[in-house]
């Protein structure tokens, strides 16, 4: 996401989170957003990505984990 878009989002919203894939490129991208924009990342460590997490663990387990991660990140 470009810097101008991030700036507009930061003006509009008090908190922004990102959720990238749980692989090396996703983890590095999350760190870049943290370093450059101060945006927190949540990391769903269930599988490589969200769709694989649902396939591997079921939608209820993923929903519960995401809700927990969101609550923790937004405190």
């Amino acid at each position: 996401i470009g810097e101008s878009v991030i700036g507009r989002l930061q003006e509009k919203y008090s908190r922004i989170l990102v959720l990238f894939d749980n692989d090396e490129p996703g983890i590095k991208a999350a760190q870049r957003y943290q370093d450059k924009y101060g945006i927190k990342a949540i990391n769903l460590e269930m599988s490589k990505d969200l769709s694989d997490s649902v396939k591997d663990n079921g939608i209820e387990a993923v929903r519960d984990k995401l809700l927990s991660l969101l609550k923790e990140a937004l405190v």
Side-chain angles (χ1 to χ4, degrees):
I1 301 174
E3 196 168 327
S4 64
V5 173
I6 293 292
R8 283 182 288 190
L9 290 171
Q10 288 177 321
E11 289 174 5
K12 187 173 182 178
Y13 300 102
S14 61
R15 295 185 185 161
I16 300 170
L17 302 172
V18 293
L19 171 63
F20 290 109
D21 286 355
N22 186 38
D23 57 8
E24 187 177 343
I27 292 167
K28 286 181 179 181
Q31 188 62 51
R32 281 194 309 272
Y33 275 67
Q34 172 69 40
D35 295 343
K36 187 170 184 177
Y37 304 115
I39 294 175
K40 284 186 179 181
I42 58 174
N43 188 10
L44 184 62
E45 297 179 340
M46 299 175 93
S47 295
K48 179 195 169 286
D49 59 28
L50 183 59
S51 63
D52 285 347
S53 295
V54 171
K55 182 177 73 175
D56 297 343
N57 301 283
I59 196 163
E60 293 84 12
V62 173
R63 181 196 62 222
D64 292 345
K65 183 63 175 175
L66 279 175
L67 285 174
S68 174
L69 291 169
L70 287 169
K71 286 177 184 177
E72 184 180 312
L74 294 173
V75 171

